[in-house]
Amino acid sequence: MAVDGVSGGSSNGGTGQAATNAVKNILGKDDFLKLLITQLKYQDPIEPTDNKDFIAQMAQFSSLEQMNNMAGGFAKLVVNQESALREATISQALSMIGRQVSALTPVDPEAGTVPEAISGVVTGMKLINNVPHVVVNGKTVPISYISEVKL
C-alpha cells in the first residue's frame, strides 16, 4: 500500500484544504475564555495554577481582545476612507460641469473602440459602477481620463 506525503499528495488540493482547515481552527476570544474558565474549574486543588501563569493567561486574553477591537476599528476606517474618496471624486466631477475639458476616451476591446482625443464642455455627470464619469460632446468619459480643465 502506498503512503502519501505530508503535504497532501491528493488531487483534490490537499495543501489548500489544509490551509482552509487551519483558518477554521483558529481560536477566538470566546474560545480562549471558555478554556481559561474550564482550566480554573478543573484545576487540582492541591496544586492550583500558579499566579504568574494565571496573570500571563489574562494578559494574553486582554491582548487578543484589544487586537480584535483594533481590527474592527481598521475595518471601519477603511469603509470611511472609501466613502470619503467616492464623495470627493463625485464632487470633482460635478465641479467640471460647464467647463471646457480635454480627454482621451477609454479603450474598450469588447466594443472595438480605440482612444480618441476629445475636447468640449462638460454637460453632465454619471455614476457608472460607482465611478464618476463626465459627459463631453455626448461621450461618457471617466474623470481619470481628463487631461485638462479650463475655466
Side-chain angles (χ1 to χ4, degrees):
M1 169 165 52
V3 177
D4 287 336
V6 175
S7 64
S10 63
S11 62
N12 65 358
T15 304
Q17 183 68 31
T20 303
N21 288 341
V23 170
K24 289 181 183 176
N25 290 333
I26 293 175
L27 296 176
K29 69 178 185 179
D30 293 336
D31 298 320
F32 185 84
L33 189 57
K34 286 177 188 176
L35 285 171
L36 186 62
I37 291 170
T38 303
Q39 178 184 359
L40 290 173
K41 188 176 180 181
Y42 293 106
Q43 70 180 334
D44 184 3
I46 297 171
E47 294 181 27
T49 305
D50 186 26
N51 285 341
K52 292 178 186 175
D53 292 338
F54 182 70
I55 290 171
Q57 290 173 344
M58 290 303 294
Q60 287 175 341
F61 177 73
S62 178
S63 176
L64 175 64
E65 187 173 13
Q66 290 303 316
M67 286 190 317
N68 282 337
N69 291 342
M70 285 176 54
F74 284 135
K76 288 178 184 177
L77 179 64
V78 167
V79 168
N80 289 339
Q81 285 181 333
E82 287 174 346
S83 177
L85 180 61
R86 184 173 38 257
E87 289 174 13
T89 55
I90 289 171
S91 176
Q92 184 181 21
L94 287 171
S95 70
M96 290 184 194
I97 294 176
R99 295 190 179 202
Q100 179 80 22
V101 298
S102 298
L104 279 175
T105 60
V107 176
D108 186 359
E110 293 177 5
T113 60
V114 294
E116 174 188 350
I118 60 170
S119 197
V121 175
V122 176
T123 58
M125 190 276 296
K126 294 181 181 179
L127 276 178
I128 301 173
N129 296 328
N130 282 331
V131 176
H133 291 63
V134 293
V135 179
V136 181
N137 298 338
K139 296 184 180 184
T140 304
V141 180
I143 63 167
S144 60
Y145 285 76
I146 303 289
S147 59
E148 183 180 15
V149 180
K150 296 179 184 177
L151 293 175

